[in-house]
Structure formats: C-alpha cells, structure tokens
Amino acid sequence: MSTNHAKRAFKYRFYPTDAQAAELSRTFGCVRKVYNMALAARTAAWARQERVNYNQTSALLTAWKKTAELAYLNNVSSVPLQQALRHLQVAFTNFFGKRAKYPRFKSRKKSRKSAEYTTSGFRFREGKLTLAKMSEPLAIVWSRPLPEGARPSTVTVSQDAAGRWFVSMLCEDPRVRPLAAADAAVGVDVGLDHLLTLSTGEKIANPRHERRDRARLALAQRRLAKKAKGDGANRAKARHKVAKIHTKITDRRRDALHKLSSRLVHENQVVVIEDLTVRTMLKNHTLARAISDAAWAQFRTMLEYKATWYGRELVVVDRWFPSSKLCSACGTLQNKMPLHVRTWTCDCGTTHDRDVNAAKNLLAAGLAVSVCGAGVRPQRSTPGGRSAVKQKTPRREP
C-alpha cells in the first residue's frame, strides 16, 4: 500500500475533566517556560557569537530538571517539552534562512496555549485518545470521522481565549490526492466591496463577519474597560465575553474561506491571485478593520496548501502589475485609475468593470507563466521593469 498520502490535521473540540484541565494547564505553563529559557540561552550564546542547536538545548532541559527551582518540570510529560525545543529550532532555522524574524518570547497572557505530543506521548486505541500522565481518555466530540485506519502521528492540544479546548490530530489522509485535470482557469481579484471578483465576471459578496457583531463586541469591550484591574473575577468574566465574541467571528470567517478556497481549487486547474502586502496595508487606519476582517492572507494560505494537495497550480502575480489600469481587450495602459472609478471605457471602445477587468488581467499574466513553465517570465511587464508574475506553486504529479 502506498504511504505517499498527504498529511492532514483533524481538529475536534473536547471537554476535559477537572484533573485533565489542571494537568494540561500545568503542561502549557511548562512548555512556555522551557521555550523561553531555551530562547534566552540561545540569545545569550548568539551575543557571544556562538550557536546552540536542538541537542544542546535538550541537554540543558535535562540539567534544568535536576535543579530544585525547576524540579516541577518533571511533573508533566517530557514529550511536549522536547517538542517546544524542536519548534524553537525550526524558528531559528527560518530566521537564519531569512524566512522569519528573530524568535520572540512567549507571553503568559497573549501566547497561544498549546502542547504537542508525538506517538510516545499518547495512546490511540479504538477511537479513544489518552495523553501521557492521564488515566482517562479525552471526551472528544467527533464532529467528523478520521480517515479509515488512520493513526495520528502527532496530537496538539490547545485552549483558545474563550476557554474552549481543542485537540488536533495529524494523520495521513488517502482521500487527499491529485484531482483529474480541469480545463478551467480563473483570475481572482480581492476587494472590500466584494470579497472576490473572478475573471468569469462572478462577484462574491463580502460577508463582513466582524461588522455583524460590532455592536455586541463594542459593548463587551466597554464593559471590560470599566473593570478595575484588581477586580480579578469580574474582569475575567468580562474578558471571557469579549473573547467569546471574537471566536464566533473567527469561526464564521474561517468556515467561509474554506468553502471558497475549496471551490476554486476543485473547479480550476490554474488559480491566479495578486501578491498583496497585507501587513503594509493594515497601516491604513481607515481600512485596517475591513482588511483584517476580509482575511486575504488566510485565504491565500488556504489556496496554497490545497493547490498542493489536489495537484493544481497557484500563480501569484507581482503587486506592481497594473491589473486595474490595463485594458484586458487591447492592452492599453491607462495613466491614472483612482479608487473611486469603478467602471471605465478604454479608447478601443470597451467598457470595463474595474474589478472584473483586473481579474481578467491577472488571469492572462498567470496563464503566461503557467503555459511557459515554471521559472519562465511572461512577456508583459510593468513600466518599471518588474515581472508580472512573482511566484508559482508547482503542480504536483500523481
């Protein structure tokens, strides 16, 4: 049997007992402590122009456990602690590879509460998951079945800001495989008035998930702001209400983006999008809230891994490509195209919808590189000499 199946995470909600919740909370704290101490040790070594790798931090962890001050680290499973060191190693690898910024310390209040277990840290039998240091299996709500015969390779337990508990299991999924080749290709222009505009002319409305709950969220935030910082219980309740509203917004947004990205990947062999610098765009305080709510970066991430899963091509067009100012009919480049102009007529007589025209131009630029092959530049480029196509997610062969 082939073992080249894609690995996929299956996330479920669970309800721990009081003892399990206490054990997991201790584990989260120890994971954060070990990560921060290892980061401090590596930072000090970096200042001395020395490098510390995973094996050295693992030896440090063994030494820390033998001290009276840190002996409590022995009370939780060692597997999540070792995984924290591995995650730190990955963070430094990405930093040295110039793919990420220097690793940051984990905050008690703001950092994600999670712990990762490898196969030696859990037992999965007959549909029941039991973690190390626990005598009872987790009470998981199986909202969807795991792939038949699936055996989790890693298990990640987490708690969100609203206090909900989740377990994510990484399994091989034989159902994720390249799809039959499709004849269709689509250009996708993202926006705020419409979340997506396709080169086919279809416009997908912006659900504006955050706006639906803005009044409730603002009220909850005002009530939180009025709570004195010393008023522990009442302030915690108010903070929980704010977090609960945020999680509902996030869940709805993620669900909608999953459906859209899956549809585009399944229907089209080539999907072309624009490379947007969302982080820079968020500096525009007038539009920052709407841009965050649209979640363009999250949508792109979903397209990237789903294209890899299903053997599709995702082409990313350079942000400087003048998709809105270029006539998709004759190729004439307009000098100016203010944002308030939603329709315009070219000298050739073609009347364009701004967003549909941009999507058509993105598709044309993307198909140029898709047809020519990876690494081949399309003929059309911007006046400044920049290439229209920035990068391409290659098609995965069956």
Side-chain angles (χ1 to χ4, degrees):
M1 183 177 68
S2 175
T3 59
N4 294 324
H5 299 140
K7 286 196 172 183
R8 187 176 182 180
F10 293 83
K11 190 174 182 180
Y12 304 94
R13 190 171 179 180
F14 74 97
Y15 296 86
T17 63
D18 291 342
Q20 289 173 338
E23 175 64 27
L24 289 173
S25 295
R26 284 194 295 271
T27 303
F28 295 160
C30 292
V31 165
R32 183 180 63 250
K33 179 69 173 179
V34 168
Y35 184 95
N36 287 343
M37 289 194 302
L39 176 55
R42 295 185 68 149
T43 301
W46 175 254
R48 300 192 301 269
Q49 296 185 342
E50 299 176 5
R51 285 197 182 185
V52 176
N53 58 26
Y54 162 76
N55 291 331
Q56 291 168 292
T57 55
S58 182
L60 285 174
L61 175 59
T62 302
W64 292 334
K65 286 183 175 182
K66 295 178 180 179
T67 64
E69 182 183 0
L70 299 173
Y72 63 85
L73 294 177
N74 293 290
N75 297 331
V76 302
S77 171
S78 62
V79 176
L81 305 185
Q82 293 290 345
Q83 287 301 101
L85 299 180
R86 290 189 177 94
H87 293 164
L88 180 61
Q89 178 64 37
V90 172
F92 270 101
T93 300
N94 290 332
F95 167 69
F96 291 125
K98 298 183 179 180
R99 295 183 295 274
K101 293 183 178 180
Y102 193 82
R104 295 183 297 180
F105 290 96
K106 292 184 180 293
S107 164
R108 181 191 300 269
K109 293 183 179 180
K110 296 182 180 180
S111 296
R112 179 170 179 257
K113 297 178 181 179
S114 67
E116 184 177 274
Y117 295 79
T118 56
T119 51
S120 60
F122 65 87
R123 182 174 69 254
F124 185 73
R125 294 177 184 171
E126 299 178 351
K128 294 184 179 181
L129 177 68
T130 306
L131 301 178
K133 299 285 186 178
M134 294 185 185
S135 58
E136 300 178 13
L138 301 180
I140 299 174
V141 179
W142 297 99
S143 52
R144 56 175 173 166
L146 287 173
E148 187 176 355
R151 304 294 301 178
S153 58
T154 61
V155 167
T156 302
V157 181
S158 60
Q159 185 183 29
D160 66 12
R164 301 180 302 176
W165 295 86
F166 294 95
V167 58
S168 179
M169 301 182 222
L170 188 65
C171 308
E172 287 190 349
D173 190 351
R175 299 169 297 183
V176 177
R177 56 183 181 273
L179 301 171
D183 295 330
V186 67
V188 181
D189 181 66
V190 299
L192 296 178
D193 290 336
H194 292 88
L195 183 63
L196 303 179
T197 300
L198 309 184
S199 54
T200 58
E202 179 184 356
K203 292 190 175 184
I204 298 171
N206 187 348
R208 301 185 186 276
H209 302 284
E210 185 268 345
R211 180 178 290 183
R212 287 172 53 184
D213 287 318
R214 186 173 297 175
R216 291 177 59 238
L217 179 60
L219 177 62
Q221 289 173 329
R222 285 197 300 271
R223 288 176 174 172
L224 172 60
K226 291 179 180 178
K227 303 297 180 185
K229 291 189 176 181
D231 190 4
N234 289 333
R235 186 174 175 83
K237 290 179 182 178
R239 186 185 297 112
H240 181 267
K241 288 183 179 180
V242 173
K244 193 172 181 180
I245 297 173
H246 274 301
T247 56
K248 287 185 177 180
I249 295 171
T250 302
D251 289 347
R252 287 201 306 266
R253 181 189 297 122
R254 185 187 300 113
D255 180 66
L257 292 179
H258 268 303
K259 291 175 180 176
L260 281 174
S261 57
S262 293
R263 176 199 154 189
L264 291 176
V265 168
H266 278 76
E267 292 179 354
N268 300 278
Q269 185 65 35
V270 180
V271 180
V272 187
I273 61 174
E274 186 177 7
D275 180 38
L276 297 175
T277 52
V278 177
R279 184 173 298 178
T280 302
M281 297 172 71
L282 288 175
K283 295 179 181 179
N284 182 338
H285 299 296
T286 304
L287 299 176
R289 172 178 280 180
I291 292 172
S292 295
D293 191 35
W296 296 330
Q298 187 178 16
F299 176 67
R300 171 175 169 173
T301 299
M302 291 179 180
L303 286 177
E304 286 174 344
Y305 72 74
K306 290 179 183 181
T308 302
W309 278 359
Y310 297 112
R312 302 309 201 197
E313 291 181 67
L314 177 67
V315 182
V316 183
V317 174
D318 191 280
R319 69 181 68 97
W320 301 107
F321 179 61
S323 57
S324 297
K325 297 192 293 182
L326 201 64
C327 175
S328 59
C330 69
T332 301
L333 182 65
Q334 305 298 310
N335 292 327
K336 294 182 179 180
M337 189 62 61
L339 283 175
H340 69 271
V341 176
R342 308 315 302 173
T343 60
W344 58 280
T345 302
C346 180
D347 295 338
C348 69
T350 306
T351 299
H352 295 289
D353 176 287
R354 179 194 183 100
D355 298 330
V356 174
N357 177 66
K360 289 180 178 179
N361 284 321
L362 291 173
L363 175 60
L367 287 179
V369 73
S370 179
V371 171
C372 295
V376 180
R377 303 286 189 182
Q379 295 300 313
R380 182 181 295 165
S381 61
T382 65
R386 299 182 180 91
S387 168
V389 174
K390 183 178 180 67
Q391 65 187 63
K392 172 185 172 185
T393 297
R395 180 186 306 162
R396 190 183 69 177
E397 297 300 331

